[in-house]
Amino acid sequence: QVQVVESGGGLVQPGGSLRLSCAASGSIVRINDMGWYRQAPGSQRELVAAISRAGGTNYLDSVKGRFTISRDNAKNTIDLQMNSLKPEDTAVYYCNAFLLPRNGLTWIDHWGQGIQVTVSS
């Protein structure tokens, strides 16, 4: 079995910071891209930040300069450091891992359950 688990969400005031963490575990052969997505009420899920196994990154335009994604390949973890948070960053944040499971024949997208981030005064 494969698990992807997020942690670190919560309530923060505008201008504040939060750090999200995600860990993938279980019967995994290899993980390629990992990323953070978010979904606000009434909106579609969107990619916030992604990181390749080699460390290449990609960010949503509205978070560039404020959010930083990082990765530890040995631990199968990624973090998202979120600074200068705005009310429009409020959403459920989901971790995604594109991985090859040990008993699988193909690569799959595996999602975490999601974690709430609320930016409000």
Side-chain angles (χ1 to χ4, degrees), residues 47-50 57-64 67-70 80:
L47 175 66
V48 176
T57 58
N58 182 37
Y59 293 94
L60 181 68
D61 282 348
S62 63
V63 308
K64 287 179 180 178
F67 291 11
T68 302
I69 189 169
S70 59
L80 185 68

Side-chain angles (χ1 to χ4, degrees), residues 68-94:
T68 302
I69 189 169
S70 59
R71 178 170 179 166
D72 185 331
N73 287 330
K75 296 180 180 179
N76 288 339
T77 60
I78 58 170
D79 290 336
L80 185 68
Q81 178 65 42
M82 305 186 292
N83 298 327
S84 303
L85 281 160
K86 304 175 181 180
E88 50 264 44
D89 294 317
T90 295
V92 177
Y93 283 69
Y94 297 89

Side-chain angles (χ1 to χ4, degrees), residues 37-46 48 90-94 116:
Y37 291 70
R38 69 186 182 189
Q39 188 166 19
S43 299
Q44 290 188 329
R45 190 173 297 190
E46 61 182 356
V48 176
T90 295
V92 177
Y93 283 69
Y94 297 89
Q116 179 70 44

Side-chain angles (χ1 to χ4, degrees), residues 4-120:
V4 174
V5 179
E6 303 102 336
S7 62
L11 172 65
V12 64
Q13 292 186 342
S17 298
L18 277 177
R19 189 176 184 88
L20 303 183
S21 296
C22 171
S25 62
S27 299
I28 300 170
V29 174
R30 186 178 177 90
I31 303 175
N32 276 357
D33 292 352
M34 296 185 75
W36 289 96
Y37 291 70
R38 69 186 182 189
Q39 188 166 19
S43 299
Q44 290 188 329
R45 190 173 297 190
E46 61 182 356
L47 175 66
V48 176
I51 186 166
S52 70
R53 188 171 184 84
T57 58
N58 182 37
Y59 293 94
L60 181 68
D61 282 348
S62 63
V63 308
K64 287 179 180 178
R66 300 189 297 123
F67 291 11
T68 302
I69 189 169
S70 59
R71 178 170 179 166
D72 185 331
N73 287 330
K75 296 180 180 179
N76 288 339
T77 60
I78 58 170
D79 290 336
L80 185 68
Q81 178 65 42
M82 305 186 292
N83 298 327
S84 303
L85 281 160
K86 304 175 181 180
E88 50 264 44
D89 294 317
T90 295
V92 177
Y93 283 69
Y94 297 89
C95 180
N96 173 270
F98 185 59
L99 57 87
L100 181 64
R102 194 168 301 280
N103 295 325
L105 299 177
T106 186
W107 292 77
I108 60 171
D109 275 312
H110 202 95
W111 294 89
Q113 292 296 311
I115 193 165
Q116 179 70 44
V117 171
T118 302
V119 184
S120 175

